[in-house]
Structures are given as structure tokens and as C-alpha cells.
Amino acid sequence: MYRHPISTGLFVVVVVRSDNRFLLIQEVMGNRPWYFPAGRVEPGETFVAAAKRETLEEAGIPIILEGILRIQHLPQPNGQSRIGVFFLARPEGNTAPKSKPDHESLGAKWFTLTELEQLPLRTKFVKPIISEVLTKPEVYPLQLIIPEGNLSKVTQIQK
């Protein structure tokens, strides 16, 4: 019996930490809320490459991925599905966050958990995720994501 393919949207969310500060971007859409660098995985792109690209495009900061905080599966009522990988990262170097608005974001800034009280946030989950990271969460190795068909341990992360 033939089945139609299930449409699945893939996305990444990147929690970038520098000491007790976290990188947030101000979104262009809606009421211009603040959120972690995030976005969809483009065709042919890996989750790792998407995380690095989205953070650079939206926040202007190159990053080093430290691990995976969680993988989220969101089945939709229409039969479609969304899968997201939440990464923990740190800045690579001392690049200042993007301050010039463009089609990716209005800019980016570093915030402490207490400074978030004054911001319109995209979701109620921003503060709990930051609180979790501050209390030393379980961070899973990037090697959990391996190319299809690779049944051995991966020793190097693909771009």
C-alpha cells in the first residue's frame, strides 16, 4: 500500500552562553520579540551547519557548538511534523553582536537572566531554558547526530 510522504520541517535553536550572559536576537516579525538564534534547516544542510549559519546570520557571531540540550518533536494536527534540535554554544572569539537591522533580525545583544524581565520574549520557554543552562544541564554530545547509513561511532562532526 502506497503512503504519501509526511512533510517534516526541521529547525534549530541555539542557546549561546558567555559566562552568565546569553545571546538573544530581536526578531523582525510581529511585535519584535527577543529569542535565541533559530531557524529552519535548509535542503541539503545538516543541523550543525544550520545552527552555525542561523547564529551568524541573525546575531553576527561565529560560534562553537558544545552539545545538544534537547531534541523536540512536534506532531501537527494536519499530519505534518516538526523536529528541532536545541544546541548549547559559546562565542568563537570576541565579535560584537550585530547592531544593524536587516531581513534576518533587528539586532542582537547579550542578556543576563534578570535582564530578561524587561523584554518581550517570543515564548515563555526562554527564561526556563536559560535557568536550566545556568544550573548545569545535561548536555548531550554532538555525535548523537550522525549521517544516515553511518552505524559506527562518529569521531568528527560534519559541517
Side-chain angles (χ1 to χ4, degrees), residues 15-64:
V15 180
V16 185
R17 179 183 184 183
S18 179
D19 296 320
N20 68 337
R21 299 174 312 141
F22 292 84
L23 184 66
L24 297 181
I25 60 104
Q26 189 172 22
E27 296 185 330
V28 176
M29 62 182 210
N31 62 352
R32 300 182 176 159
W34 291 84
Y35 193 55
F36 303 112
R40 75 181 205 170
V41 178
E42 300 293 338
E45 186 176 45
T46 66
F47 282 106
V48 167
K52 291 178 178 182
R53 176 186 52 77
E54 286 290 348
T55 305
L56 190 59
E57 287 176 355
E58 294 182 354
I61 293 186
I63 57 167
I64 297 170

